Amino acid sequence: MNITLAQAEKAIVAAQQKSKAIDTKMNIAIVDSGANLVAFARMDGAWLGSLDISIKKAKTARFFDMNTGIIGELSQPGGSLFNIEHSNNGLITFPGGIPIKNAHGEIIGAIGVSGSSVENDHAVAEAGALAI
Amino acid sequence: MNITLAQAEKAIVAAQQKSKAIDTKMNIAIVDSGANLVAFARMDGAWLGSLDISIKKAKTARFFDMNTGIIGELSQPGGSLFNIEHSNNGLITFPGGIPIKNAHGEIIGAIGVSGSSVENDHAVAEAGALAI
Amino acid sequence: MNITLAQAEKAIVAAQQKSKAIDTKMNIAIVDSGANLVAFARMDGAWLGSLDISIKKAKTARFFDMNTGIIGELSQPGGSLFNIEHSNNGLITFPGGIPIKNAHGEIIGAIGVSGSSVENDHAVAEAGALAI
Amino acid sequence: MNITLAQAEKAIVAAQQKSKAIDTKMNIAIVDSGANLVAFARMDGAWLGSLDISIKKAKTARFFDMNTGIIGELSQPGGSLFNIEHSNNGLITFPGGIPIKNAHGEIIGAIGVSGSSVENDHAVAEAGALAI
């Protein structure tokens, strides 16, 4: 129950298409069910600092099997998961990370996208996740 | 499209002059377009803890091609980039990091300054960036 | 003078073809001239531990603009670069990392391959590097 | 009893002159008596991987108040300091790091040079150390 490289590359192609359609330049990372990198692409001219963020978003989404933005709501000051970002060598908990499911609804990996506003990052990640 | 050592040293000289003019002691770091250190100077008596901060400010400014203070406005609690500082082995997102552009407006590196108030840090970084 | 994503993906496709031709399963990483990741692919069933090794091989090849195996010859006990692997957050100095040049012979990035014997790793990396 | 920035910059200038005289491209790092970076310069076209190595050589020379190559002789397999490179977040123990003394023979810092053969690295470091 693990994403294949072919599926990961399909997700990256779909994410790139969405990214171009909304005129952004993204870093796109796909991890498997073990939260380990399967495929990655940095579009020409994309922010260098988003490289690490895209991978951390993908890992974070798989670590907790939910969209990264949901964790970010709980990690605020006073929230139940305040500063959870200190774990796992650094989480990124704002939008742009989404679990990837197979046709049976089982989680087989996750996608992380970074390079624009969090709304655009999420939209591109969603396009990638839905391609599978 | 990468800053040269001669340009980096020119920026450091200009930053030091500004630092002395406003009676501060600064750590000054210059990174290239790959966010790797090109030149560095710690003025006598400058805070030791500002060494790492100046380098991280320079890297952060190049990672996202913007002044570090702009990122800090977005990384506050409730902000869209809350806790982005956990990425890239540690970002510094308060003022003092500024991208460096060439005559054509292309980003060729960044400068990071730390050792005084963030207002002073930014002013000294600006003096360095404008010297090129 | 930096590798594009299109070039990086072309190198990964060529490396995968070679890998399949010699019946191996590889991790393949491409970095740019700043030694930052541009593209990555882990073939289905490839060793998980080779993920990090492939990235470190690519970085090492660009860090010193030479094949990783050359450094490994010098880093042996008694060699002039003994234990150089402790630098740069970990180098990998056995074969499988190769600089990538453009048509003018300028280094624009590097490829790192890991997942089989070092001979096979090198052969697959070479196939990727020559595709550009 | 600490190296000043002016002294550090003088050492870097002398090291660069020697480096050019022997047709090499070097990373040059100066640390103070606390083993913290005071000044740094990466010559245009110098190996990127030598950035970290030059800083580690300077730190190593000050950590133990001796030339780095001496430690490397003791850190070989079977030697009394075998694999000491694992300490202090990574030592570099081949030649190119030299303590810097003042006129009274007191150690006030160290220089680390990396970018060519260890013989050249040492020669350039020596030129820098002797300038003070």
Side-chain angles (χ1 to χ4, degrees), chain B residues 77-93:
Chain B
S80 59
L81 303 183
F82 177 56
N83 266 348
I84 190 175
E85 293 82 1
H86 288 265
S87 70
N88 293 289
N89 288 319
L91 300 177
I92 291 294
T93 60

Side-chain angles (χ1 to χ4, degrees), chain D residues 46-62:
Chain D
W47 285 330
L48 198 51
S50 285
L51 194 177
D52 183 58
I53 292 175
S54 68
I55 295 175
K56 281 189 164 58
K57 281 182 180 175
K59 286 175 180 273
T60 300
R62 171 54 186 153

Side-chain angles (χ1 to χ4, degrees), chain C residues 26-31 35 37 47 49-69 71 90-100 109-125:
Chain C
M26 297 296 194
N27 288 260
I28 306 160
I30 312 286
V31 298
L37 195 65
W47 286 331
S50 285
L51 194 177
D52 183 56
I53 292 175
S54 68
I55 295 175
K56 281 189 165 57
K57 281 183 180 175
K59 286 177 180 272
T60 299
R62 172 52 187 153
F63 281 155
F64 304 101
D65 291 343
M66 62 181 78
N67 290 1
T68 49
I71 302 167
L91 300 177
I92 291 294
T93 60
F94 44 82
I98 299 178
I100 295 176
I111 183 170
V113 173
S114 179
S116 178
S117 67
V118 295
E119 290 79 12
N120 285 339
D121 291 355
H122 178 79
V124 170

Side-chain angles (χ1 to χ4, degrees), chain D residues 19-20 26 36 38 58:
Chain D
S19 177
K20 286 172 185 167
M26 296 295 193
N36 297 299
V38 176

Side-chain angles (χ1 to χ4, degrees), chain D residues 11-80:
Chain D
I12 284 184
V13 167
Q16 282 193 60
Q17 286 173 340
K18 177 68 176 177
S19 177
K20 286 172 185 167
I22 62 174
D23 197 23
T24 60
K25 297 168 180 173
M26 296 295 193
N27 289 260
I28 306 161
I30 312 286
V31 298
D32 63 15
S33 61
N36 297 299
L37 195 65
V38 176
F40 173 81
R42 174 155 52 95
M43 294 171 69
D44 298 339
W47 285 330
L48 198 51
S50 285
L51 194 177
D52 183 58
I53 292 175
S54 68
I55 295 175
K56 281 189 164 58
K57 281 182 180 175
K59 286 175 180 273
T60 300
R62 171 54 186 153
F63 281 154
F64 303 102
D65 290 343
M66 62 182 79
N67 290 0
T68 48
I70 296 173
I71 302 167
E73 292 172 13
L74 302 172
S75 69
Q76 298 295 319
S80 58

Side-chain angles (χ1 to χ4, degrees), chain C residues 4-83:
Chain C
T4 63
L5 175 56
Q7 288 174 312
E9 289 178 335
K10 197 174 168 190
I12 284 185
V13 167
Q16 283 194 60
Q17 286 173 340
K18 178 67 176 179
S19 177
K20 287 173 185 166
I22 61 174
D23 197 23
T24 59
K25 296 167 181 176
M26 297 296 194
N27 288 260
I28 306 160
I30 312 286
V31 298
D32 63 16
S33 60
N36 297 299
L37 195 65
V38 176
F40 173 82
R42 177 156 51 94
M43 295 170 69
D44 298 339
W47 286 331
L48 198 50
S50 285
L51 194 177
D52 183 56
I53 292 175
S54 68
I55 295 175
K56 281 189 165 57
K57 281 183 180 175
K59 286 177 180 272
T60 299
R62 172 52 187 153
F63 281 155
F64 304 101
D65 291 343
M66 62 181 78
N67 290 1
T68 49
I70 296 172
I71 302 167
E73 291 173 13
L74 302 171
S75 69
Q76 299 296 318
S80 59
L81 304 181
F82 176 56
N83 266 350

Side-chain angles (χ1 to χ4, degrees), chain A residues 17-35:
Chain A
Q17 287 173 338
K18 178 68 177 178
S19 177
K20 286 172 186 167
I22 61 174
D23 197 23
T24 60
K25 295 166 180 175
M26 297 296 194
N27 287 260
I28 306 160
I30 312 286
V31 298
D32 63 14
S33 60

